[in-house]
Amino acid sequence: MAAFSFTLTPPLSKPSPSSISWTLFSLSSPTPLHFPTKPLRKTLVVFSSLNAKPTILVAEKLGSAGIELLKTFANVDCSYDMTTEDLCAKISLCDALIVRSGTKVTRQVFESSAGRLKVVGRAGVGIDNVDLAAATEHGCLVVNAPTANTIAAAEHGIALLTAMARNIALASPAVKAGKWQRSKYVGVSLVGKTLVLMGFGKVGSEVARRAKGLGMHVIAYDPYAPADRARAIGVELVSLDEAFLTADFLSLHMPLTANTSKILNDYAFSKMKKGVRIINVARGGVIDEEALLRALNSGIVAQAALDVFTEEPPPKDNMLVLHENVIVTPHLGASTFEAQEGVAIEIAEAVVGALKGELAATAVNAPMVPAEVLAELAPFVLLAEKLGRLAVQLVAGGGGVQSVRITYASARGPDDLDTRLLRAMITKGLIEPISSVFVNLVNADFTAKQRGLKIAEERIVLDGSPEKPLEFIQLQLANVESKFAGALSDLGAIKVQGMVKEGLPHLTMVGSFGVDVSLEGSLILCKQVDQPGIIGKVGSILGEGNVNVNFMSVGRIAPQKQAVMTIGVDEEPDTETLRKIGEIKAIEEFVFLKL
Ligand SMILES: NC(=O)C1=CN([C@@H]2O[C@H](COP(=O)(O)OP(=O)(O)OC[C@H]3O[C@@H](n4cnc5c(N)ncnc54)[C@H](O)[C@@H]3O)[C@@H](O)[C@H]2O)C=CC1
Ligand SMILES: O=C(O)C(=O)COP(=O)(O)O
């Protein structure tokens, strides 16, 4: 992110519903808008504060190092053990919320925030307690802390595995109660036994390393895991059926999703060897708990060690918890001092970064755009938004746009250009001027879909330097009428095209007319019959109206034929000035556009 700085400035487009607003990648221009200028230092503004510091609500216990870090940037409200009602009541006063697994961040929470909540930080891995669809619809970024508790979770998995195999959890209270029952607590050995890992991601891999050290034969079921990573650790990836058929111990390390929900069910247990032992430090919901109870009672499952439950805390009469062959812990996987300090710092950095405008590397509901891609795309990001704003203002009537065709011309191969950011900004430009919706990278595709805006993207590979990510961007809006007929292409679509020159966005084509104007301030487009004196007349009228002209350019089909004049202006002309321009005889049509 070295090429960017982040400033706190008012949003460009419209007032925010709260003191903090998300104006993703709007440009705040630190120099007066005169043309030509030197390239500006771009400032990406994601959140712009109109007044005080942002407020971050920490809803569950977080390591002190993380709290201290948050306090350097924001007002921090640590309110633990809130009811849903308490949370909903507070949330409209908060810009960010940090939770662990104990808080359900439901649609109701996002609705109650009334647009103020911009970041939810999950201080841990699993985000199954956050309604991601609702977050995205509300333009709220969700970030997590996916790495700092990996080892703790893996160590807890191994602790449960060994404690279960040697009956430690049962034997210990018995001894404390004065019972010396050595034959009752004879265990099973681990060496040479097959451990199946369901899910071979960060935690699964760390469990594998440790289990191999215990002499176990480790295999894994994970259709998405890279085979070379498994090979490097000496783990074979197997099919689901093979996993069920061969396991002596089966340990779960997958996220809870629609696909993994109740993946251990009656069918799965029916395939397993009699006497299999189950460990779950992932999520309660990946096991059909009633099916597990049946399998324990029938003897298919000899023992289970559970850290997580479908309902947490589980009800007091939960038959699994009370089962004599089940050992349990209260969701302790991530609960080591070291992991909690690490997670707290990881999430604090992610949340503060997101509030400052950095694209979080751990964003869960937004595309992750690497910093180097972001750096080179920055001027094009601005161009994309400006072209969108310009194109939609050329549409006649308030019906908006139903479809947009975006053409990216580049000397790079089609696979070497990440357009998600550009698409999001074009969507922002097309939608924001005609609605009250704030569009950002999180909700752009959702907002477009919701408004029935179809986006078609195409790439043209041009000769040129692949150093530059793009030569030009072109937008075409089909099936719309235009308030400026000169903006229509031969096929009747509104067409605008632009490129980046010296780091600044430029408009280079309107309809079939080549133009060249820096996309700053506002713009007047005039269509006229090409003849001497027009530029002077328009210039004088604007001068009389105290409107500073920063640039003029004329694009014509041929001498004495029709031409389009683009005039960049710093101030908005009053109606009288615009009326006078319209009265110039040779001018056939004109339009004033705010960028
Ligand atoms: N008990 C606790 O306190 C803790 C629990 N966890 C949980 O452990 C689980 C794993 O965490 P990480 O390893 O950090 O996540 P990860 O994302 O690194 O790994 C998850 C793995 O599951 C795999 N997977 C996804 N869908 C699958 C499917 N249908 N079948 C098989 N594999 C599938 C993925 O390909 C991935 O390799 C998560 O559920 C997380 O919430 C993590 C930390 C602490
Ligand atoms: O990181 C995870 O997925 C966990 O399950 C840890 O949960 P916790 O933060 O301890 O409530």
Side-chain angles (χ1 to χ4, degrees):
M1 300 297 294
F4 307 111
S5 67
F6 298 91
T7 54
L8 297 175
T9 53
L12 294 178
S13 44
K14 55 175 85 76
S16 155
S18 67
S19 62
I20 298 285
S21 70
W22 175 295
T23 56
L24 184 62
F25 304 117
S26 295
L27 180 80
S28 94
S29 160
T31 58
L33 299 173
H34 291 294
F35 190 88
T37 63
K38 288 203 187 90
L40 298 179
R41 180 149 192 256
K42 299 298 178 303
T43 305
L44 297 182
V45 181
V46 174
F47 288 90
S48 45
S49 169
L50 296 179
N51 45 43
K53 284 174 163 182
T55 296
I56 301 175
L57 174 60
V58 180
E60 288 180 72
K61 184 113 184 57
L62 196 66
S64 55
I67 300 280
E68 291 314 311
L69 204 151
L70 294 174
K71 281 184 180 163
T72 61
F73 177 73
N75 298 316
V76 181
D77 173 356
C78 293
S79 297
Y80 307 145
D81 300 322
M82 280 186 290
T83 61
T84 306
E85 290 69 39
D86 293 342
L87 176 59
C88 288
K90 252 179 194 282
I91 203 69
S92 64
L93 303 172
C94 304
D95 306 291
L97 166 68
I98 296 181
V99 298
R100 288 177 59 185
S101 61
T103 306
K104 299 240 175 304
V105 190
T106 58
R107 179 171 289 276
Q108 196 191 347
V109 174
F110 292 104
E111 282 166 0
S112 304
S113 98
R116 175 143 175 195
L117 184 64
K118 293 301 172 202
V119 185
V120 171
R122 172 18 179 147
V125 183
I127 31 88
D128 44 285
N129 53 322
V130 180
D131 186 333
L132 281 186
T136 304
E137 288 168 31
H138 288 79
C140 180
L141 185 71
V142 180
V143 290
N144 70 350
T147 61
N149 68 21
T150 300
I151 299 296
E155 287 178 349
H156 198 63
I158 295 290
L160 287 177
L161 170 79
T162 50
M164 174 171 65
R166 301 307 294 267
N167 294 313
I168 289 170
L170 305 173
S172 173
V175 175
K176 285 175 188 263
K179 298 177 193 162
W180 193 255
Q181 300 165 304
R182 296 179 63 207
S183 55
K184 184 171 180 186
Y185 295 119
V186 172
V188 289
S189 184
L190 300 177
V191 70
K193 296 285 167 56
T194 297
L195 169 66
V196 166
L197 303 170
M198 301 278 291
F200 192 67
K202 294 184 292 298
V203 178
S205 315
E206 292 301 331
V207 170
R209 287 183 219 277
R210 284 156 180 75
K212 287 185 82 72
L214 297 172
M216 299 187 83
H217 170 58
V218 184
I219 59 176
Y221 166 70
D222 186 333
Y224 316 109
D228 53 348
R229 182 158 51 87
R231 249 194 319 272
I233 303 177
V235 170
E236 188 194 347
L237 293 173
V238 298
S239 69
L240 189 58
D241 271 3
E242 196 178 340
F244 291 155
L245 286 169
T246 51
D248 296 310
F249 291 80
L250 188 146
S251 190
L252 292 146
H253 301 290
M254 54 193 19
L256 176 60
T257 64
N259 284 339
T260 62
S261 172
K262 297 191 178 174
I263 196 163
L264 289 201
N265 50 26
D266 284 317
Y267 169 81
F269 291 122
S270 75
K271 293 267 175 184
M272 291 183 199
K273 282 198 249 180
K274 195 165 166 39
V276 66
R277 288 175 165 80
I278 309 290
I279 302 109
N280 190 5
V281 283
R283 283 294 176 269
V286 298
I287 299 182
D288 176 343
E289 290 178 339
E290 288 180 4
L292 175 58
L293 190 61
R294 285 189 283 276
L296 280 159
N297 288 336
S298 70
I300 292 178
V301 173
Q303 287 180 301
L306 309 174
D307 182 46
V308 284
F309 303 87
T310 307
E311 188 185 337
E312 293 184 0
K316 286 207 173 73
D317 59 353
N318 182 305
M319 300 294 281
L320 264 185
V321 175
L322 299 176
H323 201 284
E324 60 175 346
N325 294 337
V326 176
I327 62 169
V328 289
T329 48
H331 201 145
L332 288 183
S335 293
T336 63
F337 175 79
E338 294 84 350
Q340 280 314 305
E341 283 299 297
V343 163
I345 292 169
E346 194 177 4
I347 201 63
E349 284 175 347
V351 168
V352 168
L355 285 172
K356 281 182 180 169
E358 291 159 14
L359 278 184
T362 60
V364 176
N365 62 340
M368 292 176 211
V369 183
E372 53 288 3
V373 174
L374 190 58
E376 76 167 357
L377 282 187
F380 298 93
V381 158
L382 187 62
L383 171 68
E385 182 183 354
K386 298 263 181 181
L387 286 176
R389 295 185 87 84
L390 200 132
V392 76
Q393 290 179 73
L394 289 167
V395 176
V401 186
Q402 296 309 308
S403 73
V404 55
R405 169 168 289 278
I406 311 171
T407 306
Y408 306 99
S410 167
R412 291 188 183 172
D415 295 334
D416 197 12
L417 180 67
D418 188 341
T419 61
R420 293 169 302 176
L421 196 52
L422 301 170
R423 186 175 70 231
M425 297 316 290
I426 290 168
T427 305
K428 179 179 169 72
L430 286 172
I431 291 178
E432 281 195 350
I434 54 165
S435 80
S436 57
V437 182
F438 280 88
V439 181
N440 60 29
L441 191 54
V442 176
N443 66 2
D445 284 345
F446 170 80
T447 309
K449 199 167 166 209
Q450 202 188 32
R451 298 180 66 90
L453 171 63
K454 291 199 183 66
I455 303 175
E457 292 180 293
E458 67 172 357
R459 321 259 175 100
I460 302 179
V461 182
L462 296 178
D463 287 341
S465 159
E467 301 255 301
K468 209 165 141 193
L470 278 162
E471 294 299 326
F472 67 79
I473 303 175
Q474 185 189 85
L475 305 193
Q476 291 190 67
L477 311 182
N479 304 321
V480 285
E481 288 182 15
S482 178
K483 57 173 79 149
F484 186 74
L488 295 174
S489 69
D490 296 344
L491 298 173
I494 292 179
K495 184 165 100 180
V496 291
Q497 184 173 308
M499 65 194 297
V500 170
K501 288 185 181 180
E502 294 185 347
L504 289 175
H506 276 236
L507 179 67
T508 52
M509 185 169 279
V510 175
S512 309
F513 296 92
V515 296
D516 188 359
V517 61
S518 164
L519 286 170
E520 295 176 88
S522 299
L523 212 60
I524 297 171
L525 295 182
C526 296
K527 191 167 134 222
Q528 76 256 7
V529 178
D530 181 37
Q531 56 187 256
I534 301 273
I535 295 179
K537 276 189 196 154
V538 175
S540 333
I541 294 171
L542 288 170
E544 281 161 23
N546 274 331
V547 177
N548 189 39
V549 173
N550 61 46
F551 197 77
M552 269 193 183
S553 129
V554 179
R556 60 187 186 183
I557 298 170
Q560 313 297 313
K561 293 267 165 61
Q562 278 170 327
V564 163
M565 178 161 57
T566 43
I567 307 163
V569 289
D570 290 344
E571 295 85 20
E572 180 170 351
D574 57 24
T575 37
E576 182 54 16
T577 307
L578 291 174
R579 190 188 58 75
K580 284 185 190 161
I581 294 175
E583 278 173 358
I584 299 174
K585 247 187 164 178
I587 290 186
E588 294 175 359
E589 57 172 349
F590 76 101
V591 64
F592 173 72
L593 307 165
K594 281 187 187 173
L595 294 176

